Amino acid sequence: MQGLFFESDTGARYALRFVVLLIGFWTAWRTGRAVADGWGNPPLVIGYTFLLGVMMRFLHFSLFQGPFLSLGFYLLDVAILLVFAFAGFRHRRTEQMSQNYYWLYEKSSPFSWRSKT
């Protein structure tokens, strides 16, 4: 069974893997932010992340000859992408709530807000 790293990897392939991971994580972050920009709900983030998981599986398959139809690797990709997507969603929603409703809410952290008292 093929794992994360294959026998024929060279330094350039490691760098390419790193770039692909960065692209996936950045795309997930931006997807979460885009859903928040449209005032969408978190289930929409989940749906888009499942589609991003298919894209990541295709990149692993086409660039690194990894397994494409592997449920385990797909769910692993989706789980990791969900972390970045929800982080982007919460970060943007916090900005929205604290900027658009500045008389009601203030930032308490980069990912949450609280009522002004």
Side-chain angles (χ1 to χ4, degrees), residues 4-113:
L4 182 63
F5 300 105
F6 305 101
E7 296 82 27
S8 63
D9 282 341
T10 61
R13 289 183 65 97
Y14 286 128
L16 183 61
R17 281 184 194 276
F18 181 71
V19 169
V20 167
L21 288 175
L22 284 180
I23 289 171
F25 296 158
W26 180 251
T27 304
W29 175 271
R30 295 299 301 169
T31 299
R33 286 184 62 93
V35 171
D37 278 337
W39 291 94
N41 294 325
L44 195 56
V45 174
I46 294 170
Y48 287 142
T49 304
F50 276 106
L51 293 174
L52 282 175
V54 173
M55 182 266 314
M56 288 301 289
R57 277 289 89 216
F58 177 74
L59 286 177
H60 286 276
F61 170 74
S62 63
L63 295 175
F64 310 114
Q65 293 78 39
F68 182 66
L69 298 175
S70 171
L71 183 62
F73 285 130
Y74 173 71
L75 292 176
L76 179 65
D77 286 346
V78 168
I80 294 170
L81 291 173
L82 272 172
V83 170
F84 284 90
F86 273 116
F89 178 83
R90 285 294 296 184
H91 187 266
R92 180 63 185 133
R93 184 56 51 95
T94 300
E95 289 175 0
Q96 287 175 319
M97 295 301 284
S98 63
Q99 291 173 0
N100 293 348
Y101 303 106
Y102 56 88
W103 65 92
L104 293 174
Y105 303 112
E106 62 186 359
K107 277 187 176 183
S108 59
S109 76
F111 300 104
S112 65
W113 63 91

